[in-house]
Amino acid sequence: MSVTLPSSVDAWREVRARRSFQGSLPVSAFARLGEVIASPEGDVTYELDFGRDEFNIAYVAVRAKAPLTVICQRSLEPFVLPVEIDTRLGLIVEESEEAALPPGYEALLVEQDGKLDLVATIEDELLLALPLVPVNPDYELPDDIVGADEEEEPSPETSENPFAALRGLIK
């Protein structure tokens, strides 16, 4: 098990060795992620496990946790969204191999030489885990936007028949 995360590895060698990496990186180490979140504060804790399953499929299991600060699209205020990833990526060389992956696997296209950027792999999974429209679950809309409570009595003006005035015109 390795605590330091190399910039790139030979994926096939790591699968043969059943290598594992774990540790933490600052959120600021992920450039593309930094472009879509409100603040690069916090740390991403990760675990990467390489291996082969009972079907002889080469995989990397990616587990990561990060408190990411995003902008709520209701209040336009930043809030901390806890993101947790637990996925298994089947390592493939050609896109046609994706159909052979068992259920529960996502495909990860690896170059012929086996080079794999581990930071980019973690970053890709974090980006995929972010909601398209982040909404703070603790935020409640103000009453002037929501409107009056439904329990209130309807006003007598709204209970009148809207066609009552037309009835008078027909006579």
Side-chain angles (χ1 to χ4, degrees):
M1 188 170 314
S2 176
V3 175
T4 60
L5 191 64
S7 59
S8 72
V9 296
D10 181 347
W12 309 119
R13 182 181 301 164
E14 303 304 326
V15 166
R16 282 192 301 276
R18 299 190 56 83
R19 187 103 185 258
S20 295
F21 299 92
Q22 70 179 23
S24 66
L25 289 169
V27 173
S28 60
F30 301 97
R32 291 178 294 142
L33 183 63
E35 294 174 3
V36 296
I37 60 175
S39 171
E41 296 175 8
D43 290 326
V44 176
T45 58
Y46 63 86
E47 289 181 40
L48 299 168
D49 296 317
F50 288 86
R52 287 197 180 272
D53 67 3
E54 62 273 6
F55 303 113
N56 203 29
I57 303 288
Y59 70 86
V60 58
V62 180
R63 287 178 294 285
K65 290 182 184 178
L68 301 177
T69 305
V70 295
I71 301 292
C72 173
Q73 295 303 298
R74 274 194 190 141
S75 66
L76 299 179
E77 297 289 328
F79 75 101
V80 176
L81 177 70
V83 176
E84 191 168 333
I85 298 165
D86 188 2
T87 187
R88 189 173 272 202
L89 304 174
L91 304 176
I92 60 174
V93 178
E94 296 178 11
E95 290 181 18
S96 61
E97 297 173 9
E98 182 177 2
L101 292 176
Y105 279 72
E106 294 293 327
L108 179 61
L109 193 60
V110 179
E111 299 294 326
Q112 289 287 345
D113 62 359
K115 280 205 176 212
L116 181 62
D117 184 347
L118 297 180
V119 174
T121 302
I122 296 169
E123 185 175 32
D124 288 344
E125 294 304 312
L126 287 171
L127 286 167
L128 288 170
L130 284 176
L132 187 59
V133 179
V135 177
N136 187 349
D138 298 330
Y139 179 74
E140 293 183 20
L141 291 171
D143 288 337
D144 60 338
I145 294 177
V146 176
D149 289 341
E150 295 177 7
E151 298 173 4
E152 292 181 10
E153 294 288 324
S155 63
E157 298 170 6
T158 58
S159 62
E160 291 181 18
N161 186 347
F163 298 106
L166 291 176
R167 192 173 304 146
L169 294 174
I170 294 175
K171 293 181 180 179

